[in-house]
Each structure stands twice: as structure tokens, then as C-alpha cells.
Amino acid sequence: MIELRNLEKSYPLAAGRVYVLRNITLSIAEGEFVSIMGPSGAGKSTLLHILGMHDGDFTGEYEFRAELVNKLKPRDRQELQKRNIGFVFQSFHLLDDLTVYENLELPLSYRDLKKSERQAIVGDVLDKFNIVGKKDLYPSQLSGGQQQLVGVARAIVAKPKLILADEPTGNLHSDQGREIMELFKKLNEEGTTIIQVTHSETNATYGNRVIRLKDGWLASGN
Amino acid sequence: MSGLSAEISHGIRGLFRRPGFAATALLTLSLGIGANTAIVSAARGIVFRPLPYPQNDRLVHVWAYWPGGAGNISFPDGVGIAERSRTLEATATYQSYGTVALTGRTPAEELHTSFVTPSYFEILGAAASRGRVFTRDEDAEGSSAAVAVLSHGAWTRRFGGDAGVVGSVIRLNGLAFEVVGIMPASFADLGAVEGPIPDVFLPTAAAARLMGQPPRTDSLRLYWGLGRLKPGVRLQAAQEDLDGIARQMEQERPETHRGYGLRVQSLSDRIRGGFTRPAFVLMAGSAFILLIGVANVTNLVLLRLADRRREMSLRAALGASSLRLFRLVFIEACVLAACGGALGTVAGVALSKAMSAWVFTNVSPLLDVSMDPIALAAAILCSTAAILLIAAVPAHHARAADVVAGLSSGARANLDGGGGKTRKALMALEVGFALVPLAAAGLMARSFNTLTHTPLGFETRRLLTFRMDLVGPRYQDPGARVNLADAFLEKVRAVPGVEAATVWGPSMLGNATWVVNVAPAGRPNDRPDAFTMLFRHSVSPGGLDALGIERVAGRDFTAADDARAPLVGIVSESVAKQLWPGQDPVGRQLVRSAPGLPPITVIGVTRDARHRQRYSLQDVADAGLIGGLGPQRDIYLPYAQRSNNGVTFAIRLADAGPAPVEALQRAVAGLDPDLPLSDVRFLEDRIADQERVPRALAGLLLGAALLAALLAATGIYGVVSQAVAQRTREIGLRAALGARRGHILRLVVGQGLAPLCLGALAGLAAALSLGRWLEALLFGVRGTDLSTFAFAALSLLVVALLAMIFPARRALAVDPGVALRAE
Ligand SMILES: Nc1ncnc2c1ncn2[C@@H]1O[C@H](COP(=O)(O)OP(=O)(O)OP(=O)(O)O)[C@@H](O)[C@H]1O
Ligand SMILES: [Mg+2]
């Protein structure tokens, strides 16, 4: 599904450039559940943003399902992302002004679906995540675990092939975190590829593979 | 497009969730659009709206100029123009001269009077709504027809709108006049250009009988000319025509027409000329208000966008295209702008209503500044433009949502993300935009202040003035007039509370002036410019002291300077300097331009006094002649030697309080029971009247400028307080780490200081270059007066700083613990 070849990421700095990712060559197959680990500042989030096609400013090659991402125009890149990728964030990032239902509907509203189709999909997802009763509440009325549940639900609502999660349990208690991991595992078993960044060895055990980064270099797992 | 309606409703919901933001933005916008609507409407009314007369583009106003002056024409001039003009198909002469007393009812009332030739109504296309106007016979030379036409206002106010008034007889100054007609309410009389709307129209032939004016001579210049151009004739051709006529007059009557010229001007310029420039100034002011409003709202929306940075990034991450993000912000801004536009239009219509009533009473009843469809369309155009402007800038910023930066923690603490530069630029613009009208208003205020504080050269306090018209067989003989005036003064001086009393003609009653053309004796005077026109005033012995006009040389009049004694006069310093530079004028003689008149011996010199009005927009528009500026060429003559029929009195009262009208009436009734007092008013009220238009203009501009400053301050306040809110965490953190109040204040205020100063500098530069353009409206202050500009800039900066201090104080109150948990 994903092929990275000699990928490098750097920022300009007063004297020259500071490298954040060095010579990353990596392949991830369809259906994998990958955990990216490494010390703080290693470049994990940076890598995830590149994989998630938010950041197109890198050198080297990034091939996603036979498309060369680094050659795509920004607009096409966003199209590719829209069709394939869902995100889960450490701090949930739900929109405070929208209800649970509206938060879930949001990605669909950006994908040219009819209202009735959107209703059907959101209804299914609410049901699947067991949060039908919460659909009219605002994020501030939910617990952290419930908020992240909605965050995950929102990530899959557009049926992505790949879910990217940056420390999805970082702001949760351990049993809330476990619940999210179980959910990821179930989604993975249903066929969704998952890449998560985590500091927790326990969380990493839910996946089938660990990629370790250190100072921007791939330490192991390729 | 999917989700459009959801986005609109979400936009509205978002506004309701932030009532402070919405209210500020709406207020700013509706004020800007409202002021603009009303003012554009008014300016259109003043500058472009056709006058309410048929064939108004062919109507012209005729006035005269001569060496050292300009103003009215004489009645014979009017006749001469009518007979000789090849370019005017119809002409009329008219004068608005003070009031006459409507006697025979108690209390007697004053009627503002206009003397007009019958053609006056015909040229203005006006017919009586009841009855008729005058016939030519009724105004013919020597006619004794006693007929009157009432204005609609006088008819309803004084006669209760009774139709039976037509055909009835009223008594004016004791003389019987038959009311032959009533003008319609829609008739806009030209008398209003100079003074109050006339109550009664009389044939010019009646002026001599009623007001004691000498009958239709060249020595009396009280009239204006009104004409209608022949079809297809240009103004320039009419001017050449009148130039020729003036040259003929000069040859035929050199004693009164030396250096004389006639000027023709479109009636529209006559009526609105003085207001065109102020209208443009106001329009510019309101444009600045609108610009500030737009900058304000753009800023507010940008600030809100900065608040929503995380949301925008998130939406982008969830698949929103940049077009969708643009649309989202654009729609919300449009909702805001549309509401603001609607509110503003409503406010504008209301403001326009109030303003047109105000203009009618305070500026001129001939100006129609009510709302009209074109102005309304302009307002809607303005709002649309504002909407597009407001929506486009932040929407543009929204497009560039940076997902990586926007979603990383701490993104919200950074003010400079997402349009920070734009916001600072807008802040600078607001200050600049506000400074221009503020500086202009400063200039107008100083000009007005100079105007009202320019000493008149005499004491105006508690000075009661009124007129008596000594007409009829009883006052045929000059000696009878003098005797009555003396006897009356003696009685008045005995009234308790009266400090002094004198004849003082014509004083400051209206614009009417009496003039005398003189040349120093013993010099060649065959060239037109050898004669100088002096304004002539009649006073009693002791009168100059009573008025507070200081004598600097020679002696005052005495009772011995009577009709049998040689003519004597006291001249103003300016006359002395002009005619006898470096020499003592006392004892010298002035010869008159008309042959056969005895010379006048100068017996004294006074300081200059400003008898005529000090400032008139009309003067500015007509010829740049400002009555109160420059040398004052006046000559005082003893009433005993020069006894006009229309005599004006000035009474100095000891205390403030109501005028002792009844005591004065008793005093005159004891001498002549039929003699009415006319136009009784305190001089200070008359001066207030003269200052009304410049005061109104200064006030209007000041109001607009204050509004601009207020809006700019609101905008700055909004920016800074939002910035503080966004940096709550940072400020709390700094406080937790030991930052003192001074540090935090500097942090908050410091970032706004540079844009403020830059904006002020830019505003100053703009104001300086626009100031020159204002100069024609200014009295005694330059259009580039640096101290005024500096003052305006400083006060604006102080206001802006205050607007920053308030949110800064809120920042000081931040509790570090709460602030840090907020993220
Ligand atoms: N805009 C930037 N300019 C310069 N350097 C940056 C920028 N953004 C990130 N970096 C650097 O890139 C490196 C990697 O950052 P990244 O956020 O990917 O780390 P991480 O592995 O996710 O760490 P953590 O576990 O703490 O989240 C860091 O050293 C950081 O300083
Ligand atoms: Mg990270």
C-alpha cells in the first residue's frame, strides 16, 4: 500500500538546514497494523503528517497504492487523501460548535454525498460505536474516552482504507486507552490498514509490527 | 453544492453564539453604512438634485460688483437689465428686507417681508394656490395699489389657514393692504437663501411707503436680479451681455456706476454654491467612516478566524477543499455584512429623515436632502462592496489553512499565525482613516472658534436692537424724524435697566448696507477708482461710546452737529489708513461722487468694527469676499444730519433677562400711537443666526469625525482584546514564571504601538494634502495647520492607547492556574 524511498524532510535553519527525517525507505502492506515508536523529537509526527498527505514538502519518493504522491499536484493529493485516509488525533479535535452527529457528518459533507446517504452512513456508525444516545450532545458534554470514540468514528465514517493516529490514547486513562485499541484491532481485522504513533509498548502489542525512529533515522522495523 | 444551507445556518448560529462579536461588527457596519447612506443622499440633494422650479437650468441670479465690494443691485439697474438684455427672456428684481409689523391685532406680530416685481412669480413658475399674485399695474412706478400675497406658512401659522383671508384687509406698519393671494406650500422662495422664509410678498412699489426706503433710486442697492435665459443661450453669453449693459450704465450714470459691473450666475449655484464644498467634505468624511467600519469588521472576522484556526485545519484534514473553506468563512461574513447592510440602510433612512429636517431649519430651506432612490441604490452598492471586501480578506486567509501547524498543540497561542500581519495593517489603516476626518474637524472647529472669537470691535452683550419705519406724511420732513428719534431716545434712557441708547443704522440687521462713495478733497477724481465705497452708519451723539466702539482720534458728535451745521463724519482706522496714509485725517474733507452733494468733514477716527456678517458660505462660493475679513471701511454720520426713514436703535441693558418690550412700546406710543417697533431682537441672537451655518457645518463634521475615531477605537479594542484572549495561556504562563505587570502591559500594548504610529503618520500625510482643499472653508486658520494636526493625531493615539489599556488590564487579572488549565 505504501512505499517510501529515500524520503527526507528538513527545515531551513539560520546556518543551513535541520534534518528531521533522514533517508527513510519503508513499505507497508494493505491490512497491516503498524506502530511507530521512538523518543520524543524523533520525527514520528512529522512522518505521520507526510503519510497523511498534509505535508508535501519533502524529498524522495512516496508511493501510495501505485500513485506517486510526491509528483501529485496539491489538489490531486487532497483528492487521494480524501478517498483513502482517516485521522485520529491525540487531542481528539472535535469541533466544539457541532454536535456528535454533525461532527460525524462533517467528513461526508466534504465528499459530495446526498443528505439521505449521509444520514444512513452516520446512523450506521453511531450504531456500530454504540453512541446513538449521544448524537445530539456537544463534545464538551462527553468524557475524554467518549470524545476519542467519536474521533475514531469520525475517522472511519468515510470508509478510509488507511487510518492514521498520532498518540490516540495519549490523553486518556489506561482503560479508556485499551477500549480504543480494541476498537482499532477490530477495524484492522475488518480490513482497514492502521498506522499509529505511540509511546506505549502495550499499545504496540495490538499491532503486528513496530517501526522505530531515532533522530530522524529509521532504527528498525522496515 | 452540498451543505450550503447547513453552512449558512451554521454561520448564523456561530454569530448568535458570540453576541459580543456579532454586536460589535453589526454596530460598526450599520453605523458606517447608515452614515454613508444619509450623507450620500444629502450630498446628492445638495449637488445634483434639480431645483423645484420649471426650466430651472435656465434660471439665473444677477448681482453687482464695484471697486472694493460686491452685492445687491439697485432697482433702476433691474429695469435697465430688463430693457436692454438680449439674452434674458424675463427678469425680476426682489429684496428680502427685515420685518414689518402686522398691526391691528394684539399683540402685534412681525412678518418677514419680500418686495418683488410681479415677474418674480412668473419666472419661478409659481402661481397662487388661492387668489392671485400681483399684476404689472400694481407694481408700476407711482402705483398706490396696496396688495399683499401671503406665504403658505404665514397663512397657516398666523391666519389659521382661513380661506376667508383672501380679499380681506390686513394692516402692515399701520397701513392697509388687501390680501389678494396665498402661495402654495410647495413654493420655495429665494428669500430663504439669505434669511428667514418670507411671510408676506409685497410689490416693490410698496417698499417706499412701507419701509421709508427712498423710491427706486440708484443710491439704494437692496435688490437682487432674477432672470430666465432665452432657450439655447449659454451663461457665458449672458455674462457678456450684462458686461455690455454695465458699461453703458457706467457711461450714462458715472456718479453711481464708476467701476460698476454685473455678474450672472446660475440660480442653482446661487442657492447651493456655498454648500457644494461642505457637501463634498462631508461625503469624504462619511467615506472614511465606512472604510473604518469595513476595516473593523474585516479585522473582527479575521480575529474570529484566528480563533478558528484549529477548526479550519481540522476541516482541511477531514477533506474540506480550500474552496469549501473559503465558502465557509465567506458565508459567515456575508451573513454579517448583509445584516449590517440592512440595519445600516434602515439607520441611513432614519438619519436622512432627521438630517433633512435639520438642514431645513439650520442650513437652508431650499436644500432638499431627503432620501432618494438613487442614494438608496448607492447605499446598497456600498453595502455590497463592503460585504465583498469584508468577506474576501478573511476567506482568503482561511483557504491557506495549514494543517500541520494548525493542529499541533500551542498553535492557538501564537497571534501572528493566520492574518496577523493583515490585522496589524488594518489597525494602521483604521488609525490613518480616522485621523483624516478628525484633523479636518479640528480645522473646522478652530476656524469656527476663530470666527466666533474674532472681536467685532464693539460690545454685543445685552444689546437690544430694533427698527422703526418713519414713513407717511408725518415724517416727510427730516426734522420730524430727528425730533422723534431724540424724544424716543430720551424716554428710553429713562426706562429702568437701560444703560445707554443710540440710533445705530443699519447695524447688523440682515445683510442690508447703506453706502456712500467718497474721495479725499483736493485730489483728482475723474478716474473710476478715485472714489471709495464706504459703509455708512447713523449714530447719535455718545452712540459710539454706547456701542463700545473705541475712538482713537478727534472728537465725538455733539448736539451741535445738526441739520444746520456742516456735515461731519467719523471714519474707521482702515479708511484713514487707505485715504490718508501716515497723515492725520481729522479736519480733512471727503467729496461725494454724486455732483451737488456737500462734502463731509472728518472729525474723528475709530477702531475698525465688524458690522457686516463675519462669515458666509455664500460669500465664499460667490467671490471669496468674507465680510468680516480684511479692512473695514466704515463711516459714521450723525443721525441729525442724515436721517433715514428706516431707523435702527440699539439699547444697552444693565442686566440679562427679557427685553423690556412693553416699556419700549409705551415710550413710542406716547410719541406716536401708530408707530410699530419692528424686528426686536438681541444682537447676540442675530449673531448666533449668522453663525448658524458654519456652526452646523463644524458640528456635523465634528460628529462624523468623532464617530470615525470611536469606530477606530472600537476596532483597535477588538483586535487587542481578542489578542489578549488568545494569549491567555501565554500570559498566565509568563505570570507564573514571574513576569511583573509592567512586562505584561508592555507585551500587550507593545505589539500594537508600531501599527498605530505608522497609521497616524500616514493619516497625517493624507490630512496635510487634503487640508489645502479645505482652506476655502476655513476662517483664520490654514489648511495645513500643524498644531491642529498634531493635536488630532495625539488625541487619536490617546484614545487608541486607552482602547488597548482596557484589554491589557484584563490580561493582568489572568490567574496563571486557570489560564494554564484552559488549553
Ligand atoms: N516547523 C519546524 N521547524 C523546525 N523544526 C521542526 C519544525 N517542526 C518540527 N520540527 C522538529 O522536527 C523534529 C521532529 O518533530 P516531531 O513532532 O515529528 O517529533 P515526534 O517524534 O512526534 O515527537 P513527540 O513524541 O514529542 O511528539 C523535532 O526535533 C522538531 O524540533
Ligand atoms: Mg509527536
Side-chain angles (χ1 to χ4, degrees):
Chain A
M1 180 181 232
I2 290 172
E3 297 284 344
L4 301 182
R5 282 182 286 273
N6 300 324
L7 187 138
E8 305 222 312
K9 167 81 186 173
S10 61
Y11 290 102
L13 209 71
R17 303 189 72 79
V18 53
Y19 280 85
V20 178
L21 292 175
R22 299 304 300 253
N23 198 20
I24 307 282
T25 298
L26 179 68
S27 91
I28 295 171
E30 199 107 38
E32 280 200 83
F33 186 162
V34 179
S35 302
I36 302 177
M37 300 189 75
S40 190
K44 306 181 294 290
S45 298
T46 307
L47 179 61
L48 209 66
H49 279 307
I50 290 175
L51 291 175
M53 301 177 200
H54 287 144
D55 183 358
D57 181 22
F58 56 85
T59 59
E61 284 191 350
Y62 172 12
E63 191 182 318
F64 184 90
R65 306 189 97 210
E67 296 226 46
L68 266 183
V69 176
N70 49 303
K71 292 262 191 287
L72 290 180
K73 286 193 258 83
R75 181 184 290 268
D76 298 331
R77 203 174 69 213
Q78 203 193 20
E79 238 354 90
L80 186 67
Q81 176 211 56
K82 247 160 88 168
R83 279 200 314 274
N84 293 291
I85 305 178
F87 295 91
V88 179
F89 304 96
Q90 175 176 359
S91 42
F92 325 141
H93 283 329
L94 300 179
L95 286 187
D96 304 331
D97 285 352
L98 302 187
T99 61
V100 167
Y101 182 94
E102 287 168 333
N103 263 293
L104 293 183
E105 193 189 14
L106 199 60
L108 300 177
S109 78
Y110 294 133
R111 283 171 173 79
D112 290 333
L113 290 168
K114 284 204 220 75
K115 188 157 181 79
S116 56
E117 291 174 306
R118 299 207 297 266
Q119 277 172 337
I121 297 171
V122 175
D124 282 353
V125 171
L126 284 169
D127 195 33
K128 181 170 178 182
F129 283 68
N130 227 345
I131 48 176
V132 179
K134 310 251 180 277
K135 76 179 175 61
D136 290 326
L137 297 183
Y138 286 94
S140 57
Q141 297 165 309
L142 300 176
S143 75
Q146 287 165 337
Q147 287 188 40
Q148 192 58 305
L149 212 58
V150 176
V152 177
R154 188 179 60 184
I156 62 131
V157 75
K159 303 200 170 58
K161 310 238 164 17
L162 171 66
I163 286 180
L164 298 177
D166 195 348
E167 295 185 54
T169 62
N171 282 356
L172 298 178
H173 296 306
S174 54
D175 30 345
Q176 287 174 329
R178 198 179 318 119
E179 208 177 315
I180 297 293
M181 281 302 119
E182 293 291 348
L183 191 56
F184 274 179
K185 193 164 181 198
K186 193 162 145 240
L187 290 170
N188 181 241
E189 280 159 5
E190 287 166 11
T192 312
T193 309
I194 293 176
I195 304 176
Q196 69 164 343
V197 169
T198 184
H199 282 289
S200 146
E201 295 290 346
T202 327
N203 284 356
T205 60
Y206 287 88
N208 62 331
R209 175 177 166 200
V210 174
I211 294 171
R212 288 186 196 278
L213 282 179
K214 192 159 186 281
D215 294 336
W217 297 88
L218 215 49
S220 71
N222 44 328
Chain B
M1 280 218 198
S2 65
L4 186 62
S5 64
E7 271 167 22
I8 292 176
S9 75
H10 185 212
I12 294 171
R13 192 174 357 144
L15 288 182
F16 275 113
R17 280 176 159 248
R18 291 160 193 82
F21 161 75
T24 318
L26 282 183
L27 188 75
T28 311
L29 203 55
S30 49
L31 278 180
I33 292 175
N36 236 42
T37 310
I39 290 173
V40 166
S41 180
R44 205 186 101 77
I46 290 168
V47 182
F48 301 113
R49 198 173 290 178
L51 300 176
Y53 310 114
Q55 298 165 316
N56 66 80
D57 50 339
R58 280 164 56 199
L59 302 186
V60 295
H61 170 71
V62 179
W63 46 277
Y65 62 92
W66 50 84
N72 299 75
I73 60 173
S74 69
F75 191 86
D77 289 345
V79 175
I81 294 166
E83 283 171 354
R84 299 173 191 195
S85 169
R86 294 169 287 106
T87 53
L88 301 174
E89 68 175 21
T91 61
T93 46
Y94 67 100
Q95 59 156 313
S96 309
Y97 185 77
T99 61
V100 295
L102 178 62
T103 47
R105 27 163 88 193
T106 39
E109 289 178 57
E110 307 260 314
L111 294 185
H112 291 283
T113 312
S114 232
F115 294 102
V116 303
T117 54
S119 50
Y120 177 80
F121 297 110
E122 188 267 318
I123 292 176
L124 295 180
S129 62
R130 287 162 194 279
R132 59 177 180 85
V133 296
F134 314 128
T135 64
R136 282 185 190 278
D137 289 343
E138 284 164 343
D139 194 40
E141 187 70 55
S143 158
S144 60
V147 287
V149 171
L150 293 177
S151 77
H152 186 268
W155 177 54
T156 48
R157 261 193 324 276
R158 324 256 180 173
F159 298 93
D162 173 15
V165 171
V166 178
S168 72
V169 168
I170 57 174
R171 298 192 82 80
L172 300 175
N173 279 5
L175 301 179
F177 283 79
E178 183 194 348
V179 177
V180 295
I182 292 157
M183 295 309 288
S186 59
F187 177 59
D189 184 75
L190 297 179
V193 173
E194 298 174 274
I197 305 172
D199 297 310
V200 61
F201 300 92
L202 302 169
T204 58
R209 249 179 307 133
L210 197 63
M211 312 288 259
Q213 290 175 6
R216 298 180 166 179
T217 66
D218 262 329
S219 64
L220 192 73
R221 290 179 188 152
L222 284 178
Y223 289 89
W224 296 116
L226 173 68
R228 186 168 59 226
L229 297 171
K230 288 181 178 163
V233 169
R234 303 254 310 276
L235 205 59
Q236 183 54 37
Q239 181 59 59
E240 284 161 14
D241 185 20
L242 289 188
D243 287 344
I245 295 173
R247 272 193 298 277
Q248 289 176 10
M249 289 176 175
E250 189 173 351
Q251 278 163 15
E252 293 163 7
R253 292 172 278 165
E255 67 284 358
T256 48
H257 285 69
R258 269 184 222 270
Y260 198 71
L262 294 169
R263 236 337 158 254
V264 61
Q265 150 186 56
S266 82
L267 188 64
S268 156
D269 280 355
R270 159 72 174 165
I271 289 177
R272 345 189 231 217
F275 303 105
T276 314
R277 203 180 272 262
F280 279 120
V281 170
L282 264 183
M283 214 145 74
S286 78
F288 278 110
I289 292 178
L290 183 67
L291 283 177
I292 294 169
V294 168
N296 251 354
V297 177
T298 309
N299 239 340
L300 284 168
V301 176
L302 268 180
L303 282 166
R304 179 138 150 62
L305 188 66
D307 258 356
R308 296 169 71 183
R309 208 169 149 222
R310 186 185 69 107
E311 176 193 336
M312 291 296 152
S313 303
L314 187 67
R315 283 178 186 269
L318 296 177
S321 62
S322 56
L323 182 71
R324 287 294 293 272
L325 292 179
F326 183 89
R327 204 177 79 181
L328 185 76
V329 176
F330 194 75
I331 283 173
E332 193 177 298
C334 280
V335 168
L336 194 66
C339 293
L343 271 180
T345 308
V346 171
V349 171
L351 197 65
S352 183
K353 272 221 177 85
M355 201 151 91
S356 68
W358 183 82
V359 165
F360 187 88
T361 46
N362 286 292
V363 183
S364 167
L366 295 178
L367 298 176
D368 179 6
V369 300
S370 56
M371 177 67 63
D372 72 340
I374 292 187
L376 204 61
I380 291 165
L381 208 73
C382 272
S383 353
T384 317
I387 287 164
L388 292 180
L389 241 153
I390 289 167
V393 175
H396 174 74
H397 278 283
R399 276 179 56 228
D402 179 346
V403 177
V404 180
L407 290 182
S408 60
S409 60
R412 279 203 276 174
N414 181 5
L415 175 69
D416 268 349
K421 279 206 189 92
T422 315
R423 269 181 280 150
K424 280 187 178 165
L426 282 172
M427 218 157 126
L429 275 183
E430 280 181 24
V431 172
F433 285 156
L435 190 53
V436 176
L438 208 59
L443 289 177
M444 292 300 286
R446 278 201 55 176
S447 149
F448 182 72
N449 194 49
T450 317
L451 167 73
T452 49
H453 286 86
T454 302
L456 288 172
F458 59 90
E459 187 51 67
T460 59
R461 265 176 301 149
R462 303 185 310 276
L463 194 63
L464 188 69
T465 54
F466 53 92
R467 204 184 72 239
M468 245 185 248
D469 296 320
L470 305 179
V471 291
R474 184 170 172 178
Y475 299 109
Q476 205 81 50
D477 171 39
R481 303 199 285 267
V482 174
N483 288 341
L484 179 109
D486 284 347
F488 177 66
L489 283 174
E490 198 167 316
K491 284 188 157 202
V492 166
R493 289 186 185 118
V495 169
V498 170
E499 278 185 347
T502 176
V503 165
W504 181 34
S507 76
M508 295 184 78
L509 311 183
N511 293 332
T513 44
W514 299 339
V515 300
V516 51
N517 285 291
V518 296
R523 287 185 213 168
N525 56 18
D526 44 355
R527 287 187 33 211
D529 54 2
F531 284 91
T532 304
M533 192 194 73
L534 306 182
F535 294 95
R536 132 176 114 68
H537 312 270
S538 301
V539 292
S540 316
L544 292 172
D545 286 341
L547 293 168
I549 299 175
E550 192 191 338
R551 205 174 59 252
V552 293
R555 66 168 177 94
D556 191 9
F557 303 121
T558 66
D561 298 313
D562 61 10
R564 290 174 305 260
L567 289 188
V568 289
I570 298 175
V571 296
S572 65
E573 264 182 324
S574 288
V575 174
K577 277 197 193 109
Q578 183 188 340
L579 299 184
W580 299 283
Q583 297 168 296
D584 183 8
V586 174
R588 295 180 191 266
Q589 286 203 323
L590 292 166
V591 296
R592 321 272 288 275
S593 62
L597 292 178
I600 300 168
T601 304
V602 175
I603 59 162
V605 180
T606 64
R607 294 237 185 272
D608 278 9
R610 292 161 210 278
H611 294 274
R612 287 160 301 286
Q613 66 180 1
R614 288 172 293 181
Y615 186 96
S616 139
L617 289 175
Q618 204 64 52
D619 290 346
V620 174
D622 287 350
L625 300 164
I626 295 175
L629 279 180
Q632 300 292 308
R633 299 193 186 86
D634 293 294
I635 183 166
Y636 304 92
L637 304 171
Y639 185 69
Q641 294 187 338
R642 196 71 168 80
S643 56
N644 283 81
N645 298 75
V647 53
T648 308
F649 293 93
I651 312 282
R652 174 90 57 204
L653 300 175
D655 309 301
V661 180
E662 274 181 27
L664 295 175
Q665 270 162 348
R666 267 199 307 279
V668 73
L671 300 167
D672 178 350
D674 296 332
L675 198 58
L677 299 180
S678 296
D679 222 355
V680 186
R681 286 190 79 190
F682 280 104
L683 191 68
E684 290 192 309
D685 295 337
R686 296 184 200 277
I687 292 174
D689 261 5
Q690 294 186 353
E691 286 164 357
R692 201 185 51 204
V693 172
R695 180 196 299 275
L697 189 68
L700 212 58
L701 203 60
L702 204 63
L706 289 180
L707 189 62
L710 188 74
L711 285 183
T714 316
I716 291 162
Y717 172 83
V719 171
V720 177
S721 72
Q722 202 78 10
V724 168
Q726 282 164 356
R727 295 172 76 177
T728 302
R729 202 180 86 101
E730 178 197 333
I731 290 167
L733 197 60
R734 284 175 188 266
L737 296 177
R740 282 190 310 271
R741 296 170 65 91
H743 293 127
I744 291 175
L745 268 182
R746 225 176 303 147
L747 184 77
V748 173
V749 175
Q751 65 172 356
L753 221 48
L756 287 191
C757 292
L758 271 177
L761 277 180
L764 271 181
L768 269 171
S769 57
L770 292 176
R772 258 176 263 281
W773 193 73
L774 258 184
E775 210 142 79
L777 292 177
L778 298 177
F779 180 95
V781 53
R782 301 291 309 270
T784 50
D785 186 62
L786 273 181
S787 60
T788 308
F789 284 25
F791 181 74
L794 271 180
S795 12
L796 190 63
L797 284 181
V798 167
V799 170
L801 271 179
L802 279 180
M804 294 169 73
I805 296 282
F806 279 107
R809 286 171 53 96
R810 228 181 19 243
L812 291 178
V814 164
D815 172 358
V818 173
L820 292 179
R821 256 177 279 123
E823 247 327 81

